[in-house]
Amino acid sequence: MRLGLLVLVLLAVAVPGCGVGKATDEEKISKTATTYLRALADGDTATACAQLTSRAKGEGCAAAMKERLSRLDSDALKSAADDSIDIDIDVNRATAGLAEPEGARFLLARVGGEWRIDSGYTVGP
């Protein structure tokens, strides 16, 4: 009986560390950024647009992105998705700094319980 109780206690402590439970803001931001980058790399404009705020989408998001895809390097986008992301959160706004190119970052906004890219891939201080 005691062994069974000990196992349950150990499982209760171990499970939250295994990715079970509510995602943190950092995890949500990272997922939004990597989903966006991978979608662009794969030419999936619908998924890329779904990662944006309504303000960032504007009108005709998918069509506008399709026009820009020819100028984007899919390998560079995949590499950016695989690299670490430096996340800074200020209540309902966040910055996700990409490893490459140097200084590239997304500005995100909390929309409901989700994080969406409000402006993207800006470079600068």
Side-chain angles (χ1 to χ4, degrees), residues 3-50:
L3 180 59
L5 183 59
L6 178 60
V7 169
L8 286 175
V9 169
L10 289 175
L11 281 174
V13 171
V15 168
C18 295
V20 176
K22 193 173 182 180
T24 66
D25 283 333
E26 288 84 359
E27 290 167 334
K28 289 178 181 181
I29 291 166
S30 179
K31 182 178 180 195
T32 297
T34 57
T35 299
Y36 178 75
L37 292 166
R38 288 187 194 288
L40 287 178
D42 294 339
D44 183 355
T45 58
T47 298
C49 287

Side-chain angles (χ1 to χ4, degrees), residues 27-40 44-58 61-62 65 106-111 114-120:
E27 290 167 334
K28 289 178 181 181
I29 291 166
S30 179
K31 182 178 180 195
T32 297
T34 57
T35 299
Y36 178 75
L37 292 166
R38 288 187 194 288
L40 287 178
D44 183 355
T45 58
T47 298
C49 287
Q51 307 312 306
L52 303 176
T53 63
S54 58
R55 184 177 78 92
K57 282 181 198 176
C61 179
M65 278 198 190
F106 293 128
L107 303 177
L108 296 98
R110 187 187 318 260
V111 178
E114 300 298 320
W115 286 93
R116 295 291 173 243
I117 297 169
D118 200 36
S119 67

